[in-house]
Amino acid sequence: MFTALGRTVVLVKDQDEALAFYRDVLGFTVLHDQLADGYRFLHIGLPGRQDGGLWLMPASGEDLSLVGAQTGGQPLLVLYTADLAAVRERLAAAGVETWADRHDSDGSSLHFRDLYGNVIIAAQVHRSAPA
């Protein structure tokens, strides 16, 4: 029925501030940035990936209370990496606190928050070699 996952909406207070965090700290790239009828459509994604990403949507009015809490304290995203140690170092260099380091036979992960408090999990999955 569906062919791809499009954009996940992330409510933000300031699109440029959010873009700076996701681009400069997490390495996202701009997929689409257009002003139409006074509204800015800002979509970001992982480098080399056009099919899925985040829509940084400005909150207003009552929606402002949902910024950083739109998932009720549960993780907003799980981002996969081939090098969790490098992610940990990059986050630390940017002053981002990490916690819940987990290492087991299936993989490793850690938790951190974006600039608004959304919980994100960085995970490195250990794939066993084919038999």
Side-chain angles (χ1 to χ4, degrees):
M1 184 165 28
F2 301 103
T3 59
L5 180 63
R7 308 287 190 257
T8 297
V9 173
V10 179
L11 294 174
V12 301
K13 291 181 183 174
D14 180 281
Q15 287 175 301
D16 289 319
E17 179 181 63
L19 174 60
F21 177 84
Y22 280 91
R23 181 192 57 218
D24 302 343
V25 176
L26 302 184
F28 280 68
T29 60
V30 174
L31 300 175
H32 181 79
D33 190 355
Q34 180 179 2
L35 193 62
D37 297 324
Y39 190 85
R40 184 179 181 194
F41 294 88
L42 178 58
H43 300 191
I44 61 173
L46 298 173
R49 303 293 310 256
Q50 294 290 319
D51 56 346
L54 304 178
W55 179 356
L56 301 178
M57 182 182 287
S60 61
E62 292 181 20
D63 290 345
L64 280 169
S65 67
L66 296 174
V67 173
Q70 68 189 61
T71 58
Q74 296 301 314
L76 175 71
L77 301 170
V78 177
L79 299 173
Y80 292 115
T81 180
D83 189 349
L84 191 63
V87 169
R88 184 182 296 105
E89 289 175 18
R90 184 169 178 159
L91 292 171
V96 177
E97 177 187 358
T98 63
W99 74 95
D101 270 321
R102 180 188 64 82
H103 306 279
D104 59 35
S105 61
D106 294 335
S108 302
S109 64
L110 58 83
H111 290 63
F112 65 95
R113 286 185 178 85
D114 73 3
L115 71 163
Y116 295 121
N118 292 301
V119 175
I120 299 172
I121 298 173
Q124 181 176 355
V125 178
H126 301 298
R127 303 194 196 295
S128 57

